[in-house]
Amino acid sequence: MAAIAFEAVQKRYPDGFEAVKDLDLAIADGEFLVLVGPSGCGKSTALRMIAGLEDISDGAIRIGDEVVNDLAPRDRDVAMVFQSYALYPHLSVRRNIGFGLRMRGMDRGEIDRAVTEAAAMLELTQHLDRKPSQLSGGQKQRVAMGRAIVRRPMAFLMDEPLSNLDAKLRVSMRAEITRIQKLTRTTTVYVTHDQIEAMTMGDRVAVLEHGRLLQVGAPRELYERPKNLFVASFIGSPSMNLFDAEIALRGDEVVLALKGQDITVSAGDRADRLRSQQGRAVVLGIRPEHLATAAPGLPTLKAEVTLVEHLGAAQLVHLVTGAVSSRIAAPSDDDEIARARGESLAMLPVELDILTGQSISLSVLSERLYLFDPETGASLDDRLH
Ligand code: ATP
């Protein structure tokens, strides 16, 4: 096992396209790091450069202490797991898992031991003599994992390994991969466009956009302290509501002036810091799950309910406030359509009786009002608390 580091890594494809720009990222030995971002952000390219499947245009990649830029893929001692599984259809599960070891000329007894151990870890023992066509999607994915595990590589590199599975299986395999990674303590770099996978699996998550690393941190850190609008709206589901606003004073009170309404910031440190920013244009972000029924003394958003969706554990309430920001389109998510219609969303307890057409007031804690610069998208919350 080994640490992996990107040092000022650039990737320019032969047509001149820059897929990865100036990437600095250190992944600790034994860490589970998720590279996440929308389609085309360069995450697969970054992963493939670690594996040696893409050349590095500039900078260096280290695996352990060694710079591997010029090392052939087979000499890098990393195991790649793809979404397509890449199993040999004519070989049994046993022979698929042991394939890499046989190629290396490992002794038969040792191969048997390694395959038996991996199959037990992956709950594949009773399927060892089946062919891939006799397995479910989740089982095939576990065989692919088994093939990686038996090699005891320095690192696992996984490129969207769950994207061919149905929603339910994705959830269970997600937990399975996390469990196996914790058991083997193998450094893992995992690529996905799914922010829920990123948040649930990663020790740390690196968010990429247009080939640039925007932020890297523990899932909770990205959720609580996003450094910019992109990370703020990419992390969290449904995504953060965004409103164009201006910091203003109304008498003694500090307000965020939205189109058609003021949101008063509760008196305290946060309001005091905002006071000096009077007149500044901002983008205000409020997470749907941070909105609650109106409480006296808290910042309050007034809206009209356009739709109520019951999700079982909560209700997703669609709101019109007339003040939505078009700064950032919602990431390709279920909430995209609501956002396209200029709606905001609130995730509220099922116990509340909420009807379509109703006027509603919802509150949010002052420290959960996220503020961003409308020009650069940078967080202003360093943190104006
Ligand atoms: P996805 O989730 O869609 O796979 P990704 O974030 O993994 O996206 P990459 O596959 O790393 O993205 O591609 C990053 C960018 O580089 C994309 O804009 C893609 O079109 C471009 N790209 C990939 N391969 C080449 C190539 N061989 N030549 C030129 N551009 C390429």
Side-chain angles (χ1 to χ4, degrees):
M1 277 163 273
I4 297 174
F6 289 88
E7 295 169 359
V9 169
Q10 312 271 353
K11 174 66 187 182
R12 255 180 319 277
Y13 279 109
D15 64 359
F17 185 81
E18 289 200 340
V20 173
K21 300 167 189 160
D22 205 18
L23 178 60
D24 278 305
L25 180 61
I27 303 155
D29 188 4
E31 186 176 21
F32 194 131
L33 181 107
V34 179
L35 289 175
V36 69
S39 180
C41 70
K43 51 196 187 298
S44 296
T45 301
L47 191 80
R48 290 167 62 81
M49 284 192 286
I50 305 175
L53 301 174
E54 295 290 351
D55 293 337
I56 299 159
S57 311
D58 217 334
I61 292 184
R62 282 176 198 277
I63 302 180
D65 292 331
E66 193 176 6
V67 172
V68 297
N69 291 29
D70 299 321
L71 220 54
R74 65 174 177 284
D75 297 328
R76 296 194 184 195
D77 196 15
V78 294
M80 199 75 192
V81 181
F82 299 95
Q83 61 173 273
S84 60
Y85 317 136
L87 302 181
Y88 297 105
H90 57 291
L91 297 183
S92 64
V93 168
R94 184 188 309 279
R95 289 176 70 83
N96 261 290
I97 295 179
F99 189 82
L101 303 184
R102 271 200 307 285
M103 288 292 101
R104 287 195 206 163
M106 193 191 260
D107 162 285
R108 224 184 133 152
E110 265 183 75
I111 298 177
D112 273 352
R113 255 195 309 282
V115 171
T116 307
E117 192 189 345
M121 196 188 290
L122 294 158
E123 291 169 17
L124 283 172
T125 307
Q126 74 267 43
H127 304 308
L128 278 172
D129 295 316
R130 288 196 186 173
K131 296 276 167 58
S133 61
Q134 298 169 297
L135 299 176
S136 70
Q139 289 162 343
K140 283 182 205 162
Q141 185 52 264
R142 276 187 264 161
V143 177
M145 286 283 296
R147 207 165 43 183
I149 290 170
V150 289
R151 286 182 42 198
R152 297 186 179 281
M154 302 261 245
F156 294 141
L157 306 178
M158 304 195 191
D159 195 353
E160 308 248 6
L162 305 184
S163 52
N164 285 342
L165 305 179
D166 66 45
K168 208 168 155 199
L169 204 50
R170 282 179 80 125
V171 174
S172 62
M173 277 305 293
R174 178 168 101 193
E176 193 78 347
I177 291 177
T178 312
R179 185 180 67 83
I180 289 162
Q181 198 272 341
K182 297 285 170 265
L183 269 177
T184 60
R185 306 283 332 150
T186 306
T187 312
T188 299
V189 185
Y190 185 104
V191 161
T192 180
H193 64 274
D194 181 329
Q195 62 91 24
I196 296 184
E197 264 174 36
M199 295 292 279
T200 51
M201 300 176 85
D203 294 322
R204 284 190 310 155
V205 176
V207 183
L208 296 176
E209 187 200 23
H210 300 318
R212 279 198 195 286
L213 176 62
L214 296 187
Q215 189 171 359
V216 57
R220 211 164 143 191
E221 187 183 333
L222 297 190
Y223 178 85
E224 289 178 357
R225 291 188 298 282
K227 282 190 179 160
N228 55 57
L229 263 174
F230 184 86
V231 176
S233 50
F234 192 78
I235 301 291
S237 176
S239 61
M240 189 182 267
N241 300 302
L242 300 174
F243 307 95
D244 290 323
E246 186 185 307
I247 300 171
L249 291 182
R250 302 277 185 258
D252 219 21
E253 288 181 327
V254 177
V255 303
L256 297 165
L258 274 57
K259 193 173 158 206
Q261 63 176 302
D262 288 346
I263 295 185
T264 306
V265 181
S266 318
D269 285 356
R270 186 119 209 255
D272 293 343
R273 287 191 212 181
L274 289 179
R275 199 176 294 277
S276 63
Q277 307 276 320
Q278 189 190 353
R280 178 169 193 162
V282 293
V283 174
L284 164 67
I286 303 178
R287 293 200 183 278
E289 60 277 26
H290 288 164
L291 284 163
T293 39
L298 291 187
T300 299
L301 177 75
K302 292 187 277 302
E304 193 157 302
V305 175
T306 53
L307 182 70
V308 180
E309 293 179 279
H310 284 274
L311 307 178
Q315 52 187 331
L316 187 62
V317 180
H318 295 235
L319 305 165
V320 169
T321 61
V324 172
S325 171
S326 55
R327 266 282 305 162
I328 276 225
S332 57
D333 227 334
D334 294 344
D335 48 341
E336 193 169 21
I337 295 167
R339 302 306 158 101
R341 285 202 301 254
E343 292 179 340
S344 303
L345 296 169
M347 191 72 85
L348 296 171
V350 278
E351 293 74 27
L352 297 174
D353 276 326
I354 297 172
L355 299 173
T356 301
Q358 180 184 339
S359 293
I360 194 169
S361 289
L362 296 168
S363 289
V364 56
L365 298 174
S366 287
E367 62 268 28
R368 287 179 166 167
L369 297 169
Y370 293 83
L371 297 177
F372 304 93
D373 184 298
E375 299 304 321
T376 64
S379 169
L380 298 176
D381 292 338
D382 29 77
R383 284 243 336 227
L384 302 176
H385 276 171

